[in-house]
Amino acid sequence: MAAGVLVRRVVPGALIPLLMMAATACGASAGSEAAVAAKPEHRAADGAFAHPGVLVGKDQLAAAREHVRRKQEPWISAYREMSRSKYADLDYEAKPYATVRCPFDAEAGQGCVEEREDAIAAYTQALLWNITRDRAHAAKAVEIMNAWSDKVTGHTADNAGLQAAWAGASWAKAGELMQYTYEDWPDGQELKFQRMLREAYLPEVRGGSADFNGNWDLVMADATMSMGVYLNDRSAFDQAVGHFRARVPAYFYLASDGPLPVRPKGSGIDTPAELRTYWFGQKTFKDGLSQETCRNFKHASYSLAATSHMAETAWHQGVDLYGEVKDRLAAALELHSKYQLGAKAPAWLCGGKVQRDMGPDTEVGLQHLQGRLRMDLPQTERLTRKERPEGTDDLFVAWETLTHAAA
């Protein structure tokens, strides 16, 4: 067995305790639990990771299953949308490639869409297994993961790092659920899947990409952390934590940063003029602005999701990254939600023109900041309720109303 790899079987019934519907951390809204929920559980004394704990914890799985059983909104609508998606089809067929080649822009690639979709399909089937207890979904999740681990060897071309991050984040979520809630994934295939992540994904993402737009760096750190937890790789997890602490303040602006944004650590961006160019020509900086706001909201939204994902995964592991960036994350969610909802952009913001194309990326951050911490995020709440059920972006975000919605 490779160093750092832990294979552990858990009887499914033992993993899903009876849910108390008042548990705020599980997606309900009982104020009496707020003080408890405001602190993550302490990490085990031996440093072991909590499983399942990649974005979705065991209590959240139990809550989602109970909400669906009781046909409660918004979870039942989210479940139905997931169940009707192509990713939930029991006839879904994986399309693995040995080498995934993803160039920039319009140039044709090889296996890029197939890899991302297959990873989301594996995660979707893993969620369906945990909600329904239909073993056919568990078998399908494992089948998809086995197909890729039997074939893929690496990623090439300009978008290799971003592609590996998008797919790797979903593979890690799927692998985490199946390893720790399903007993019939053969050890040999399970270890082969872990080796695939170690050799074909993790090396592509753990170093980040300091000179690219920040969504790259943040999604790569998200994938590194997710794979680190799933693989029980403390080094990868700690590296992602450090990356989070350096990059999030360099991506989302707060006035406490000074007149200019924080320079991305490790980049060649050194002067005020270079910083303004990097921020797509923006000259006025106010709370919540992101490095890519004036590019479009879509890429800023990817980064909201990746930041929330990392903070949530770390939370399950006893590390409160939310506490370090809560004001910054809240300001960014509120600013982008306000203008996504249609507020007129002022002249100082991107010359008064913004591209309103956010994805399904607000649910995880909202459930912590408002649901656990009781912070007031009216714009984010309004947008999230308007967009529910938040489905999938077909890249690395999927079904977060089902897993993380607050009441």
Side-chain angles (χ1 to χ4, degrees), residues 212-215 247 250-253 264 275 277-280 289-295 300:
F212 279 66
N213 288 308
N215 79 88
R247 187 52 148 173
Y251 189 86
F252 298 112
Y253 177 80
L275 263 176
T277 298
Y278 185 58
W279 283 63
F280 290 86
L289 191 75
S290 88
Q291 181 256 316
E292 294 179 277
T293 301
C294 295
R295 179 187 186 187

Side-chain angles (χ1 to χ4, degrees), residues 113-140:
V113 173
E114 292 87 346
E115 180 184 42
R116 296 193 303 266
E117 291 189 345
D118 286 358
I120 290 173
Y123 178 55
T124 301
Q125 298 283 346
L127 279 175
L128 283 163
W129 150 243
N130 275 277
I131 298 297
T132 68
R133 287 309 193 213
D134 183 345
R135 298 180 73 84
H137 288 298
K140 179 57 67 172

Side-chain angles (χ1 to χ4, degrees), residues 63-82:
R65 191 169 74 173
E66 184 68 5
H67 287 313
V68 170
R69 186 186 71 80
R70 296 189 180 193
K71 295 182 171 57
Q72 295 173 320
E73 294 291 358
W75 304 277
I76 186 62
S77 291
Y79 169 76
R80 287 168 178 160
E81 180 172 312
M82 180 178 73

Side-chain angles (χ1 to χ4, degrees), residues 20 44 55 60-61 66 90 94 111 160 189 211-212 219 223 230 254 292 301 328 333 335 344 371 385:
M20 292 181 63
L55 184 61
Q60 288 166 325
L61 289 171
E66 184 68 5
L90 286 172
Q189 285 288 352
D211 286 310
F212 279 66
V219 173
Y230 168 59
L254 277 183
E292 294 179 277
S301 193
R328 196 179 296 272
L333 283 164
L335 181 144
K344 180 178 173 57
R385 289 185 181 279

Side-chain angles (χ1 to χ4, degrees), residues 15-31:
L15 188 64
I16 308 296
L18 183 64
L19 174 70
M20 292 181 63
M21 296 304 295
T24 302
C26 299
S29 59

